[in-house]
Structures are given as C-alpha cells and as structure tokens.
Amino acid sequence: MASNKKYWKSVEELKGSSIVETLSKNEFVDEIATDQFLGDKETLENSSTSRRDFLKYVGFTTAAASLAACEGPVRKSIPYVVKPNDIIAGVADWYATSMADGYDFANVLVKTREGRPIQIMPNKDANGTTTARVQAAILSLYDEKLRLKEPTKAGEVISWADADKEIGLKLLSLKNENKPVVLLTGTMASPSTDKIISEFTTAYPNIKHVVYDAVSEAGATEAMLAMYGKRALPNYHLEKAKTIVSIGADFLSDFHGGFEKGYVNGRKPESGQMSYHVQFESNMSLTGANADKRVVLKPSDQVFALLNLYKEVTGNNVSSKATPVDAEIKKMARELRMNGSRSVVMTGLNDKNAQLIAFAINEALSSEIFDTKNTLNIRQGNDAEVAQLISDMKAGRVAGLLTHNVDPIYSLASSADFVEGLAKLELSVALSTENSATADASNYALPTPHFLESWGDTQFDSVTYGLMQPTIQPLFNTRQLQDTLLKWSGNSTKYYDYLKAFAADSVLNGSSWNTALHNGFFKREALVEEVEFTSTVSVANAAATLSSSAKKASGFELNLYTKTGLGDGKQANNPWLQEFPDPITRASWDNYLTMSIADAKELGFSNPVKDNGAINGDYAKISVNGKEAVVPVMIQPGQAKGSIGLALGFGKTFGLKEEMQVGVNAYPFYANSNNIQYGVTIEKVGGYHEFACTQVQKTIAGRHDILKVASLKEYKNVDPKDHHHGWNKPAYVSYDHQEVEANTIDLWDEHNRDLGHHFNLSIDLTSCTGCGACVVACHAENNVPVVGKREVRVGRDMHWLRIDRYYSSTVETREDAKELGLSRGEMYEALETEAENPEVTFQPMMCQHCNHAPCETVCPVAATTHGRQGQNQMTYNRCVGTRYCANNCPYRVRRFNWFEYANNNQFDFNMNNEYGKMVLNPDVVVRGRGVMEKCSMCIQMTQATILKAKKEGRAVNTDEFETACSSACTTGSLVFGDVNNKEDKVAALAKDKRAYNVLDYLQTKPNVIYQVKIKNTNEA
C-alpha cells in the first residue's frame, strides 16, 4: 500500500543527509545571481553584489532591460516567387518512411515544414514504435560537424567521377587477380539491398559480404540456425503471456529491439488479467524496474539459474550447480508449467548455448509467445565471420575492404588488430554517412545520405515490408550505397527505379506502389515461413559447455549493456541524447561503473551530494582480460553484489564536438562480443568525478501520495476509496476541527468549464515503462534548448517533461515501529537494507496545468495565466524573470532561462549553427534569456487541430487532439484529449477509479491525471 512505503531518489536520502534535506526545500540549487544581470554565465555564477547595489541596478536598468527583451533581431526574409506545388507555407506535411541505421529500426512518420524534417513519430498503422534514439535521429540529419560532405581520397576532396573510376579499376584488378575483398556492413534489413549486394558479389566473385553489429545478438541468431534452420531472431508476443521469466533480457529496452508494446498490452488491470513478470538480473535495467518481481543475481549465477530452470521444467538432468535463488527457480518452474503455452522464458546472455537452453524450455512449454515463424531480421551480425575477417586482414589474406556505416576501429574489442590489418590492404573504401575513425583511416571516404534523405525498403519481421523515402533534398554531396554498388556492378539503373521494380515484382503482388509508399508499409502475411524444431540439437552438450565456462568465473563480474539514450553510440554526437537523463540513474552526459551498496561500502566508494545538488563519484581502475580503464563509480541500488555494470556507446572522440566527448569507451572489454566478462579486478584511484545527475534535483519525494501503487488483488477486491483500506483514497484535510475530503474545500470560486474544449492529459503509471521517448519528442516539438553537462549539474536543465524515478521500500509505520521498539535510526537502517533491491516506479512529470494554479496568483506581471481550454499559459514578452512562480509551484516543473542558448558559442549545440537550427519548429518561439518556460500542453498542436476542423467546416473528431508526448508514447500510457467531449478516451479516464491527482490535498485541481500503478503480485 502506498501509505506504508517510503519513496526516495538517492542513497543519500536514506542517510538522513542534511544536504539532501536542504535541497528538498530549495527550488534553486544555486544562489540566485544578481551581479551583471545580463552578463555571461561565469560572472553570473560568482555573484557578490550587495542588496543595496542590486536595488540601485534594478532601479536604473529595468526599463532598458525590458526594452531590450522586447526588441527582436531583424531578419530579411525572401518570399516564394514561384511556390512549389507540394508546399504550403505554414502547413506541416507528414511522410511515412522507415529508419534503419544498423542498430535502431522503426516504421515512422516524419513531419516536415517548408521542406525541412523537424520531427519523427511512430507509424502506428504499421505497428511502428519509437524510442528516444529514434525520436532524436531527426537532429542527427543536421549534424554538420560529423557528417561527411564530399568524397575524399587520403583526406583530399575528389569528384565522384574520379572516385568511381579509380575504385572501379582497382576492384577490377583485384577481381582479375582473384584477391579477396570484403564488403563489411551493419544490419540493413533491406530485401532490395540484399539483392543488389548479391548481384554485386556475382559481378565480383572475389568479394564476400560480412555483416557486423557493434552490439551483437549473434548468440540468439546462431541458436535459431542450429535449432530451426533459420538465421534470425525469434519474435515474442508478450500480449498473450500469463507468465514471463526473463534472465538478464532487457526486453523493454534493446533486447531484440524491445517488446514494450506487446508487454503493456498484456497488462491491462481493467481486463482483470495481467501477465506475471519475474526478472532475474544483475544490473538494474528498465525491464527489471518494471517487473512484478525482481530477483538480484550476478551473471554467473544467472547461467546456473537458467540451467536449473530447464531441469525443473523439463525433468531432464544437465550439468549445473546450486544458486542462492533455487527456491524461486522451483516456484517459477511450477508457474511456467501451470500456464504452459501462455508462458515464455527469455535470456539476455549473448551465448549460443544459453539461447539454446531458453529455446528448449519454450519448446517444452509449447509456448505460443515464442514465435519462430514470423522472425525478426534486425540483428544479422555474424561474430564468427567478423573474427575471421580480422584474422585474415592481420595475416594479409585480404586485399580490399569496403565498409558501410560501421566503425570497427571504435567499436571492436580487437580494434588494434583491425587497424594493423587495415594498413596492409591494397584498397580500403568507407561509405559512410558520418565521419569516423574507420572512414578517416580508409583510402577513400564516400559520403552516403541520412535515412531521411534516402530511398529504400525494410523487412524488420517476416510480414511487414516497409518503404523508405526522402523527406528532404540531400544536404551534402552524397550518394546511396545502393546506387554506388549498382554503378560499380555495371548497372546503369538508378536505385529508385530498381527499388520500384523490385517491390512490384517481389512484394506488392499487384498492389499499388503509390499506396504502399503513402502508407509506408505493405503487409505480406503469405510469406511467413514454416520452420521445424530440430531435435538433433544436443541440449545436454550446450548445457555442459555453458556450465563449464560459468564455473570458471572469478573476481568481479562485468555486465556490459546499452543505455536507453545512447545505445551503441551511433548518435554519440547528438546533444538531445547526451542530455537525456538515464531512466534508472537519472545521470546524463556520462557512463559509469554501477556498483552495489555493499560492494561500494567494502571498497570505499561513495557518491557524495554537494550543496548545489550535484553528485560526485570516486574513480575506479578496472582490469579485464589485460585491458584497463579508469571509470567513475555510481552506487546503484539493486545492483547484484559481486557484479558491476558499464554502458557501451560512450567514449567516442573522433569527429565529435568537444562537449560530446564524454564517458569511457567500454568496447575494449567486449571480448568475443560477450556482454558478460568474468575475472574483473577493481582498484580505487585518486580524484573524483563530477556527474551531471538530476537524481536529487527538483524532487518532490517525501510529499504525501506522489505515487499510488496497488496490487492486482487489491484492485479487484478492495474499494479504492475505502477510508481505511482503500488504494486510491481521496485526500482529507481538517476543516472546522473535522476531517473532510479536500475537494470539498477551496480558496477560489469555481468557473464554468463546460463550454468549449477543456484539455486533460491522463498518465497511466502501470503502462509507463520510463523509456523517455516522450522527453525527446517534447524537445523536438517545443524547441527545448540543450544546456550542457555543467549546467545540468547545477540544476539548470531545461526539460519541459521529466520522468521521475522513485525507489520505494516497505517500512513500518510509526505506530508499528513504536510497538516493535524500533528507533527512527533503526527504521532507516532497515530501509537501507531494503535498498539492496528496491521497487521502482516511473512518473512523467510536467506542468500540471492547474485550474487553481499557485503560479498564476503570485506573478506580478500576469505573465502566466489560465486559458479557457485548461492550459496554463506563458506570455514570454511579459515575463521579467522574478521566478516567484517557480518558487510557488509544488511540482517543480518550471524552468528559468539563465542564458541565451541560441547563437551563443558557450552553448555550442544545435541552436548555434545554421544546420542545427533547421530542426526548429517554426510554430514555437525560441525563448530568450531571463524568462520562465515550461510545458504548454503543446498549445500550437491543439490550436492547429481546431483550425483544421474549422477550415473543413466540422467539429473536432473524437480523440483528434494530440500532444508530442502522447503521440510518441509507444505503450499508450499518455492519453490527451478534451474532457468536454464525452467520447474522448481521456473523459472516461478522468473518471476512472484509478484516476488521481498528484498532491491532491493542495487542491490545485490539475488537468493532468494519473492512473494508480497496478502490480501483479501473483495473489489475485
């Protein structure tokens, strides 16, 4: 029950830290600077102005400052002389396309303004989903710093004609001499490209195609090939599941591309049925944070847990050993057998033998959730072939290498061997969208377009054929890989024509090309292949091999993982992703060693919180397989003792802006593409690291009923508003010496809100996984500035929408503690023990658009006011930056523009260059220094919807209103609409028995409604 839980954000809170106590009472973590009101950030921070001087300054300069704030820069605009037929100034166009960059794959819709793509959203008709990285990919299009702009030879610009001639002659020479050449690409999941590559290798029989994924899932594809005769990834239909057991598989994040939509669809409490999900893991992952039950287990024990689970489910004896959680394993085996075909087991161990064991369990269960027919094609990397390539290059057995959008010099554990082999080649050509260490080291670097500038097709699973179309003219002198290979093969056909013919002949089956292109996809169910389980695979041998390697484990165990924000590091130069706070640690601009509280205490590591809310960390030197690195330590509640975690994708330096060169490159530890490494040694070294972490900033932890959580059993059997036992009780206040419901008492008279539109946003805490796609979508739609690591560190991040992560632990009430004779110190000591594996809840938090808003009553210049449609509005020209509204906001959701973030070299991000500015939304003003800003409920989107309906002479359709965050939400957790339209989904959600307002006892009457989080404790 919520009343028996304590919610906390950091380990420091458990210690009763005076600093944290102080921070919880301060809105602004730094002293408000007054020296040189319009000065730069350095002098602003080091203020020492006296009160008398400040008043004198204000008296003489306020008028001048106000005039300066109202006077905008002059821009000479040039109107259309002849307007393009397909562009209407001021009206957005949407295009359906696909994203496939080798790591992220999605069917998407792209919003363009006057020929500029400015936002990406999921193509829901194609069952498309987006992550934070997919949302942010729009900004990578405009990365003038990193993108290749011209073909080069040895660093000097060369024409395409000369490059084609020289490379063509060399390829022909190598062919005639029968010298091996390798085409090394990432996963493209493109049927037409596969056909072009096949024709290319036919024209050049000495060329072999090898697929390399920086973050490998070859363990699963090799297991599929061995057991089912098909090299692909299995699919998982989690919406059908009753029991889900995951052993280290982060399937709500990057495991097989993620399955969050199906997972949430199988967990609808209103249906009375929710899947029961148990997660065994060492790192605290996004999936573990959302599990009904999380079991902490270091990686070597995960291996034996998987083997013991196989033994319990099948009755077959295999080589294994006991684990600390065998009782839980037996319990889960019973649960899996009981639900049979509605059960599923997954493992994130990138090991063929581990995957074979998991597959065998699913076969024994006859699992309907485990799909080997409609397989996934998004991870096609072949680790064995890549290892052979490096060996051959180093031995001089390869004469030429063509790479496409891969950077093995950065991402290979054996990159030194690759560099050595690269120097021995007669020909090396890098076809790449971005400059990289590999492109720089190659003889030729040929620029390829961004996916938003490209034609193409995709086949992410066996039935959905996606199409890719350009949404902007190429920004630079680029050419697609497909056009290049066609040309080098002697085929003069343009790729667009080739693609269109391929789709007509092989896919569309007589259907319209234009319709498929318009929709962005075409369903082809008839092509689902039948596969048969191969019983000849020896599970016993797989178990013996797997068990043998785990039994040799020694020292600390390292679990390498990818962050929800940065993934494999392809978009490391993207400031939106660098500033995106990690859902679990809430840290941005960094990777770090996650360590358990017990290990940190034993080894002497700490994360002190400074008086400005910033967090520091000690450094550790880790050694793995002869490789060393110095990494800052982040103490992570829920980390398995004896294990550590480190994120891949950081530490990239070549071609990146200085501000983006953050973190430590973990790929050197990624030996044999195995995400688990044993025999790690850790040594504390001197110095401390400064984290940019929002963990203890702007928290409203400690306030009553921020979160409400109930079990499925309580949801089904207990009256939510029961005064004693209810799980969604209304707030009570004392009035006239009696306890009465807070909503019966008010300071203000009510206004009639029944006329016109009245907007509400409903947020379902049960289906919010904390993925953060909404955060980046808000950034893109509302021109939210990036402020950089230093500013985030001191609490000046500008995110309009944040996702608060709360840990919770059950503690005795004061009455229970008194009966047990426990002191307050003993209560908190017990709580710290609970922190070894706390429960986690995510809560999106933005402006609550209160109908009785505290901010509106204190603004001296009426800059923040309430609109008739329920939105709390900001008039930027009127705001003078008193920050009274932020101090009076109980939700801490207002942001102050300390500096000019656009056109300012001190903030060298996308708003400081002409290409980066192309992503800006012209419907939303770029705010200047000295004003407050915050969520507007995307007022520009709601007004556009109203104007569209008015223009078409109709009423607004049901559920037609949207915001950026609700549109981007894959799981449907965020639902926006008009409560005055009783048909809108949000109208029913506002009256649902799970609906509540945060801090409802304050009676601010927010227009943001939360739905109580329901967990399946398997008691219903």
Side-chain angles (χ1 to χ4, degrees), residues 328-468:
E328 190 65 37
I329 289 293
K330 288 182 178 180
K331 180 181 175 183
M332 290 316 303
R334 289 194 299 271
E335 189 81 22
L336 289 166
R337 288 197 304 269
M338 181 177 69
N339 288 315
S341 63
R342 301 292 294 278
S343 302
V344 69
V345 174
M346 291 178 269
T347 180
L349 298 169
N350 187 33
D351 183 289
K352 175 184 174 180
N353 297 306
Q355 296 295 331
L356 285 171
I357 301 296
F359 293 178
I361 296 173
N362 289 322
E363 283 293 337
L365 294 168
S366 300
S367 175
E368 297 174 17
I369 288 83
F370 178 64
D371 185 354
T372 58
K373 297 176 182 178
N374 179 20
T375 52
L376 302 173
N377 307 312
I378 60 171
R379 300 280 188 266
Q380 296 173 4
N382 190 319
D383 294 344
E385 291 187 352
V386 172
Q388 186 62 52
L389 168 63
I390 296 167
S391 176
D392 290 343
M393 286 171 60
K394 194 175 178 184
R397 293 190 292 266
V398 175
L401 180 68
L402 313 175
T403 62
H404 175 249
N405 275 346
V406 292
D407 187 11
I409 291 180
Y410 161 68
S411 58
L412 272 175
S414 54
S415 70
D417 293 338
F418 182 86
V419 171
E420 183 182 336
L422 192 65
K424 296 179 180 179
L425 298 176
E426 296 181 39
L427 174 68
S428 56
V429 181
L431 299 102
S432 180
T433 304
E434 295 175 338
N435 200 1
S436 66
T438 303
D440 184 65
S442 300
N443 303 144
Y444 296 88
L446 307 182
T448 57
H450 190 270
F451 77 90
L452 291 172
E453 302 168 313
S454 304
W455 288 102
D457 61 357
T458 55
Q459 190 79 57
F460 303 149
D461 59 27
S462 297
V463 299
T464 308
Y465 178 76
L467 283 171
M468 184 185 294

Side-chain angles (χ1 to χ4, degrees), residues 725-830:
H725 307 291
W727 46 268
N728 193 14
K729 293 180 287 188
Y732 287 86
V733 295
S734 177
Y735 180 72
D736 198 17
H737 305 293
Q738 294 186 10
E739 289 284 298
V740 298
E741 287 191 24
N743 59 16
T744 62
I745 309 297
D746 218 324
L747 294 176
W748 290 274
D749 292 332
E750 280 289 345
H751 293 282
N752 183 356
R753 309 184 202 281
D754 297 332
L755 298 176
H757 304 293
H758 191 82
F759 299 121
N760 272 199
L761 176 65
S762 173
I763 303 174
D764 189 346
L765 299 180
T766 305
S767 56
C768 175
T769 65
C771 73
C774 54
V775 175
V776 181
C778 177
H779 247 291
E781 173 66 27
N782 293 297
N783 301 336
V784 176
V786 174
V787 300
K789 181 176 181 178
R790 181 186 173 281
E791 296 301 302
V792 173
R793 177 171 165 79
V794 296
R796 293 174 182 168
D797 66 287
M798 296 300 294
H799 292 107
W800 284 13
L801 162 61
R802 69 177 191 264
I803 299 184
D804 287 335
R805 180 271 297 121
Y806 291 103
Y807 299 126
S808 64
S809 306
T810 303
V811 294
E812 292 83 0
T813 63
R814 289 185 181 181
E815 292 76 14
D816 293 339
K818 191 173 182 180
E819 287 181 16
L820 294 169
L822 295 175
S823 68
R824 192 178 183 89
E826 288 170 325
M827 283 177 62
Y828 280 95
E829 187 176 344

Side-chain angles (χ1 to χ4, degrees), residues 299 423 689 697 803 1020:
H689 184 78
Q697 297 169 358
I803 299 184

Side-chain angles (χ1 to χ4, degrees), residues 298-305 307-308 311 317-323 349 351 540-555 557 674 676-679:
K298 66 181 182 179
S300 59
D301 283 336
Q302 290 177 36
V303 170
F304 299 120
L307 292 169
N308 293 343
K311 288 165 64 175
N317 194 28
V318 292
S319 174
S320 185
K321 76 172 191 179
T323 77
L349 298 169
D351 183 289
N541 288 344
T545 305
L546 185 64
S547 175
S548 174
S549 61
K551 284 177 180 175
K552 296 174 185 175
S554 62
E557 300 176 11
N674 199 325
I676 304 299
Q677 299 290 328
Y678 301 127

Side-chain angles (χ1 to χ4, degrees), residues 3 26 81 105 188 251 389 432 469 474 486 556 709 719 744 746 858 862 966 1006:
S3 58
N26 291 344
V81 178
F105 303 85
M188 290 180 285
F251 61 80
L389 168 63
S432 180
Q469 62 176 319
L486 284 169
F556 275 88
V709 182
D719 178 1
T744 62
D746 218 324
V858 295
S966 64

Side-chain angles (χ1 to χ4, degrees), residues 852-962:
H852 293 168
C855 57
E856 295 169 12
T857 57
V858 295
C859 181
V861 292
T864 181
T865 53
H866 210 67
R868 283 293 301 234
Q869 296 172 345
Q871 289 147 317
N872 176 262
Q873 300 173 350
M874 282 297 307
T875 307
Y876 299 122
N877 281 355
R878 204 180 281 164
C879 178
V880 295
T882 63
R883 289 161 292 214
Y884 295 163
C885 55
N887 280 316
N888 217 38
C889 174
Y891 306 100
R892 298 191 169 189
V893 290
R894 289 175 164 262
R895 304 288 176 264
F896 180 67
N897 272 311
W898 288 91
F899 309 107
E900 197 77 54
Y901 298 111
N903 302 314
N904 187 339
N905 290 333
Q906 295 187 73
F907 300 94
D908 190 16
F909 305 111
N910 63 293
M911 290 189 186
N912 197 45
N913 66 81
E914 294 307 313
Y915 282 101
K917 290 177 186 175
M918 291 175 73
V919 83
L920 296 177
N921 183 357
D923 292 332
V924 181
V925 66
V926 174
R927 281 76 61 189
R929 171 177 50 197
V931 302
M932 298 299 304
E933 61 178 76
K934 47 94 201 171
C935 163
S936 68
M937 268 191 183
C938 291
I939 191 169
Q940 70 281 358
M941 294 179 69
T942 57
Q943 291 308 301
T945 301
I946 293 168
L947 291 172
K948 180 183 178 185
K950 184 176 181 181
K951 181 181 176 182
E952 295 173 2
R954 59 172 176 83
V956 175
N957 294 327
T958 298
D959 294 323
E960 188 177 357
F961 286 113
E962 287 184 312

